Amino acid sequence: MPAWLEVAIRSICILIGLFVITKLLGKKQLSKLSFFEYIVGITIGDIAGSMSMDLDIRLTEGITSILIWSLFPVAISIISLRSKKFRDFVEGNSTVFIKNGKILEDNLKKEKYTADELLEQLRKKDVFRVADVEFATLEANGDLSILLKRDKQPLTLGDIKPYVPEEKEPQTVIMDGKILDEPLATARLNRGWLKKQLDQMGVAIENVFLAQVDSYGQLTVDLYDDRIQVPAPQQKQLLLASMKKAEADFELFSLQTNDAEAKRMYEQQAKQMQQLIQKLRPFLM
């Protein structure tokens, strides 16, 4: 067998094997890998590269080595899932750097962290004053997690409104010009509704690269041809306009009627509608 053909066969087989091993090891991001897992990955890659190019290495020897390096971290992961003590021993624990707004210098020295490195990590989190931090901890993977003091935390909608409507994940209903029925059903919609919405936009399904439905039932589309302008969703604006029209109708009815009881009822309904509009306006703009 020619050398180049053997190298090609070896490389293809090793690529398939590495793909299977990667699936076994899980879907951790590179930044989430422990130091040991990072070293294992580099070593397996080096062994695989040597097996592909060095024909003096027998496949049985190389496969045995790769299996040992691959199955060992898998076994460690399984044991770690079942034992907290073992997981802490292998992966380590988080270290508190700032507590109650005070820097713990001994913990910095323990992790061989300088004050400059701590400030750098805080700046990466958009924090430029240590005095603004209530709590900060160095995670086992090297990330710094921080909790700002209450008066330094950004304002959220929940701080303003006591009842905030639930925001659900958008459902992708069209991808690559193909309708996805499962997400469409999850949004409690059907193909007829989707076709009607696209017809109103003047868009054909096959021209849609991606389409999503948000928790308000609004459809947004991205077309293959970016030069075509698609009108923005108007469901929320239409709902707000309908509510304003209802308020105006109640006020008009109260002015037109001569019945005192009916007039009072229309005025009350108009007032309630106005209050409802004020509450919902931030969500419908």
Side-chain angles (χ1 to χ4, degrees):
M1 179 185 296
W4 67 268
L5 182 59
E6 185 175 353
V7 169
I9 295 174
R10 281 186 174 219
S11 299
I12 293 173
C13 293
I14 290 170
L15 281 173
I16 296 174
L18 289 178
F19 176 77
V20 174
I21 290 171
T22 303
K23 299 291 285 186
L24 288 175
L25 293 177
K27 298 180 179 180
K28 281 188 177 181
Q29 298 179 8
L30 184 61
S31 61
K32 304 300 181 183
L33 295 177
S34 66
F35 181 74
F36 175 72
E37 291 169 335
Y38 181 68
I39 295 298
V40 167
I42 293 177
T43 305
I44 291 176
D46 184 55
I47 295 173
S50 299
M51 287 176 59
S52 297
M53 299 300 298
D54 192 347
L55 301 182
D56 293 332
I57 300 177
R58 290 188 296 178
L59 286 176
T60 53
E61 296 173 350
I63 291 173
T64 301
S65 179
I66 286 181
L67 286 176
I68 292 174
W69 278 92
S70 303
L71 296 179
F72 191 71
V74 171
I76 288 179
S77 298
I78 295 174
I79 298 174
S80 298
L81 289 174
R82 301 188 178 187
S83 173
K84 174 84 166 57
K85 292 183 179 179
F86 184 80
R87 182 166 65 251
D88 292 341
F89 173 75
V90 173
E91 299 181 1
N93 292 315
S94 59
T95 304
V96 179
F97 278 175
I98 301 176
K99 188 174 183 179
N100 297 328
K102 302 294 183 181
I103 297 177
L104 305 182
E105 292 83 1
D106 292 339
N107 286 352
L108 286 178
K109 293 179 181 178
K110 175 183 174 182
E111 297 294 341
K112 299 178 177 60
Y113 240 72
T114 65
D116 287 332
E117 290 171 331
L118 175 61
L119 293 175
E120 178 185 354
Q121 292 299 320
L122 290 175
R123 288 193 296 270
K124 289 181 178 179
K125 301 286 185 178
D126 296 328
V127 177
F128 294 85
R129 293 204 318 162
V130 177
D132 294 342
V133 181
E134 177 67 25
F135 183 83
T137 179
L138 182 69
E139 305 295 349
N141 62 359
D143 288 342
L144 186 69
S145 301
I146 66 171
L147 174 67
L148 295 175
K149 291 182 177 179
R150 180 61 181 171
D151 59 333
K152 300 299 181 181
Q153 294 178 12
L155 190 66
T156 64
L157 189 58
D159 296 326
I160 304 174
K161 298 290 183 180
Y163 302 104
V164 180
E166 182 181 356
E167 185 77 18
K168 298 180 180 179
E169 64 172 313
Q171 297 294 327
T172 302
V173 295
I174 298 178
M175 184 178 292
D176 297 328
K178 305 294 183 182
I179 298 177
L180 306 179
D181 290 310
E182 184 176 346
L184 197 59
T186 302
R188 298 182 180 180
L189 300 169
N190 53 45
R191 290 192 172 212
W193 174 89
L194 182 59
K195 186 176 184 304
K196 180 180 178 182
Q197 295 296 315
L198 292 175
D199 289 342
Q200 291 177 355
M201 295 180 182
V203 174
I205 293 178
E206 55 270 16
N207 292 332
V208 179
F209 174 67
L210 192 75
Q212 292 183 311
V213 178
D214 63 16
S215 55
Y216 294 98
Q218 296 187 125
L219 179 70
T220 54
V221 299
D222 184 90
L223 305 181
Y224 283 106
D225 190 349
D226 294 331
R227 294 173 297 179
I228 299 177
Q229 297 296 322
V230 179
Q234 297 181 342
Q235 280 86 344
K236 291 194 290 185
Q237 291 85 344
L238 290 173
L239 177 58
L240 181 59
S242 299
M243 294 175 67
K244 289 181 178 179
K245 183 179 182 301
E247 179 192 2
D249 287 342
F250 284 132
E251 292 177 349
L252 179 62
F253 295 156
S254 68
L255 294 174
Q256 291 177 339
T257 182
N258 294 322
D259 188 324
E261 183 65 25
K263 181 183 290 290
R264 192 182 314 110
M265 180 190 68
Y266 287 136
E267 290 176 348
Q268 184 180 4
Q269 294 297 325
K271 184 178 180 181
Q272 291 179 353
M273 183 61 70
Q274 184 182 29
Q275 292 174 349
L276 183 60
I277 291 174
Q278 291 176 349
K279 290 181 180 179
L280 297 180
R281 186 185 294 274
F283 309 108
L284 299 179
M285 295 300 291

